[in-house]
Amino acid sequence: MGRHSCCYKQKLRKGLWSPEEDEKLIKHITKYGHGCWSSVPKLAGLQRCGKSCRLRWINYLRPDLKRGTFSQEEENLIIELHAVLGNRWSQIAAQLPGRTDNEIKNLWNSSIKKKLRQRGIDPNTHKPISEVENEGKTSPSSKNNEKVSEGISDLTFVDSGNSKKTNPSLDQNPLIQNNPSNLAPTHEFFMNRFIASHESSTTDIKPSDLCEYVSFQQLNYSSNNIGLSMNPNSSNFFFNSNSKSSEIESGFNSCVTNTVLPSLPSSFLSFSTRMKSSTSLPPDSPIGHLSTKFQNWDGCSLGNNGSTSNVSRGNCSIFENNAFPWGATDCVKPEKQANVPSSEHEIPEDIKWSEYLHTPFILGNTIQNQSAQDLYGETKSQTQFATEGPLSTTPNWHPNQQQQNLQAAEIYSKHFQRLPTTFGQFA
DNA sequence: AAGATAAGCAACCGCGATTGC
DNA sequence: CGCAATCGCGGTTGCTTATCT
């Protein structure tokens, strides 16, 4: 099966790119754009397949690439995003400006994995290795410990390192489908509900319900991590639910009484917070006053005039990249969404709800009340997300907006400076 | 100094999803 | 609606460089 390689078929060049080839490709794309990739090599005069050109451009030649070694902050971010997203490298890369999925994937496989293991954390499950091993011993479906440690265990599926080919989709996660008994009823309840919400567009579960759930957990997660003086016993911080479903409420109540909540990686929590903070809630609402302080979080690009009014789904990379397909606006009451075009309320289908839910639920059995930072044992660096910094400080999804803008400017400047050398006689 | 091994990285491959005819 | 072309993603390979013995 599978298509024959276009390179074989057309006797095209393979392997490393020469500077001349790079030059041709850069020259062509800067002049005409890539358009249809399959036509690029022909038009650019390259003996390569379109796929190869695309890859070369995306991973190496694009002017907005940062390159260079990853900072500790970036590594931390990758770890946290991986805990939420698994091996969705492109989605992780979308949160790291100037980094490619390939680069991140390489870093993960060559460096981060190792570091996590050294710290006693299984990089696949983000659980302590000892627990993973125990599960391997006790779980009848785990064939051997090695398999568990590689995260391929039927029960510990989060990321196998080759999920696309060998693992069921997250929606078919056997932990969810086949082992509901392993989950607390509340977990099961929410998982089933959210899976249903994915499978049926007519469900009464909406993105805002997830926001509520996330927020709720946030309160129980680690109050000293949040830095908002949030009272874990107060329900004021998270969205006033206006719950569409009484089941949801009872579910939450169940969570409260059980106080056995799955932990969420802080990145997930920060998503939630940032979603909330980037909405247009009034300043007097529990969330609204935050929004005035979080308008410039770094996932959002400012307008040319530096105005914060553009901070909306349309300008947030995280939303552009569908990390949260429902966007910020879905997390607020309908009347608060008036200033957002209706089209922006639509939920793209490309991201599945359950994909965002599997991690908390899986982690829930093991990392309760322990923050990702605690677990990973890294110092609380500047990448601590909005949830963790004092309100008065600049939100720091990435270190800060100014720095990022500066960085982007430097990158572009650097690449523009490089162009003459790269292009040689090109003018 | 030389060979072995590890690490880092660029690129390829195959597959699923999407698009256009 | 079916098919083929194309795109984009994630896993893997293989080359180069660095480090170790």
Side-chain angles (χ1 to χ4, degrees):
Chain A
M1 239 187 87
R3 257 160 272 153
H4 207 291
S5 164
C6 50
C7 301
Y8 285 118
K9 202 161 55 185
Q10 300 170 35
K11 294 179 187 172
L12 298 173
R13 261 180 65 83
K14 289 177 69 178
L16 294 180
W17 280 64
S18 70
E20 291 75 26
E21 287 177 308
D22 283 347
E23 186 185 319
K24 281 181 181 176
L25 187 58
I26 292 172
K27 201 169 168 178
H28 175 79
I29 292 180
T30 49
K31 204 167 179 181
Y32 305 106
H34 61 74
C36 173
W37 280 111
S38 59
S39 64
V40 165
K42 196 180 172 185
L43 296 171
L46 291 162
Q47 299 286 323
R48 296 270 181 177
C49 68
K51 203 171 179 176
S52 182
C53 293
R54 176 185 161 270
L55 204 66
R56 183 65 180 170
W57 176 257
I58 288 174
N59 286 337
Y60 200 80
L61 300 175
R62 253 167 53 197
D64 58 336
L65 291 179
K66 192 185 276 180
R67 312 208 64 82
T69 54
F70 281 76
S71 67
Q72 187 58 56
E73 287 73 29
E74 285 176 311
E75 282 192 23
N76 291 343
L77 183 53
I78 290 167
I79 292 167
E80 299 209 9
L81 288 167
H82 187 272
V84 179
L85 299 167
N87 288 10
R88 287 170 181 73
W89 304 115
S90 61
Q91 289 179 37
I92 292 173
Q95 309 310 321
L96 286 114
R99 300 296 188 182
T100 69
D101 53 355
N102 204 35
E103 208 177 359
I104 292 169
K105 182 170 58 182
N106 282 336
L107 179 75
W108 180 267
N109 288 327
S110 65
S111 169
I112 295 180
K113 256 183 171 178
K114 204 175 301 170
K115 285 181 186 173
L116 288 178
R117 286 203 182 101
Q118 283 169 358
R119 288 181 213 149
I121 297 160
D122 181 74
N124 299 307
T125 61
H126 293 261
K127 293 176 180 181
I129 287 171
S130 55
E131 286 190 21
V132 174
E133 283 171 353
N134 286 339
E135 281 178 23
K137 283 170 190 167
T138 55
S139 165
S141 65
S142 294
K143 301 268 190 286
N144 55 54
N145 289 343
E146 185 187 330
K147 204 174 180 183
V148 171
S149 71
E150 288 303 311
I152 307 174
S153 160
D154 289 345
L155 290 179
T156 56
F157 169 69
V158 172
D159 153 41
S160 70
N162 51 13
S163 60
K164 189 168 182 177
K165 286 171 184 166
T166 59
N167 286 316
S169 77
L170 293 169
D171 303 281
Q172 297 164 340
N173 186 340
L175 176 63
I176 297 160
Q177 291 200 331
N178 301 330
N179 292 285
S181 59
N182 288 344
L183 305 174
T186 50
H187 301 171
E188 183 182 279
F189 167 79
F190 283 108
M191 183 54 69
N192 289 338
R193 296 293 297 174
F194 283 117
I195 289 173
S197 78
H198 170 59
E199 290 172 349
S200 166
S201 59
T202 58
T203 177
D204 57 354
I205 302 292
K206 291 191 172 65
S208 52
D209 296 329
L210 175 60
C211 293
E212 289 168 331
Y213 180 51
V214 170
S215 303
F216 180 78
Q217 290 192 61
Q218 190 168 341
L219 296 173
N220 290 272
Y221 196 79
S222 170
S223 56
N224 61 352
N225 255 1
I226 295 169
L228 296 176
S229 302
M230 283 164 33
N231 180 353
N233 299 316
S234 162
S235 63
N236 285 339
F237 182 74
F238 63 98
F239 293 126
N240 291 331
S241 59
N242 287 347
S243 265
K244 295 91 190 164
S245 159
S246 58
E247 283 179 83
I248 293 283
E249 286 178 349
S250 68
F252 280 123
N253 291 338
S254 167
C255 289
V256 174
T257 51
N258 289 340
T259 63
V260 178
L261 286 168
S263 296
L264 281 168
S266 60
S267 51
F268 200 77
L269 304 182
S270 69
F271 287 157
S272 168
T273 301
R274 286 179 293 109
M275 280 192 292
K276 286 175 270 183
S277 61
S278 61
T279 60
S280 52
L281 287 169
D284 59 340
S285 76
I287 301 303
H289 79 279
L290 295 179
S291 70
T292 62
K293 297 180 185 282
F294 278 73
Q295 283 170 336
N296 285 352
W297 64 272
D298 292 0
C300 301
S301 58
L302 297 175
N304 289 339
N305 58 359
S307 157
T308 58
S309 62
N310 286 337
V311 178
S312 65
R313 178 185 168 190
N315 277 351
C316 294
S317 61
I318 189 172
F319 296 127
E320 285 173 346
N321 290 295
N322 296 327
F324 281 93
W326 55 86
T329 53
D330 245 324
C331 297
V332 294
K333 299 172 190 174
E335 64 268 23
K336 305 297 181 191
Q337 302 174 354
N339 57 349
V340 181
S342 61
S343 62
E344 295 195 355
H345 296 154
E346 293 168 10
I347 304 169
E349 288 296 321
D350 54 345
I351 300 296
K352 297 168 183 173
W353 281 95
S354 52
E355 292 180 3
Y356 289 96
L357 292 164
H358 80 283
T359 299
F361 283 93
I362 291 168
L363 294 176
N365 289 335
T366 55
I367 323 178
Q368 290 159 11
N369 302 321
Q370 189 179 13
S371 74
Q373 274 77 22
D374 293 342
L375 187 67
Y376 298 131
E378 275 300 325
T379 55
K380 299 211 173 234
S381 61
Q382 295 100 330
T383 40
Q384 295 308 305
F385 302 114
T387 48
E388 298 183 21
L391 273 179
S392 58
T393 62
T394 309
N396 44 14
W397 170 237
H398 299 298
N400 61 53
Q401 181 69 46
Q402 268 188 331
Q403 190 182 334
Q404 196 184 31
N405 288 343
L406 191 66
Q407 213 167 33
E410 282 172 357
I411 290 164
Y412 278 102
S413 149
K414 192 176 71 188
H415 281 282
F416 277 119
Q417 285 169 5
R418 228 184 55 191
L419 283 179
T421 27
T422 310
F423 286 13
Q425 69 286 9
F426 175 65

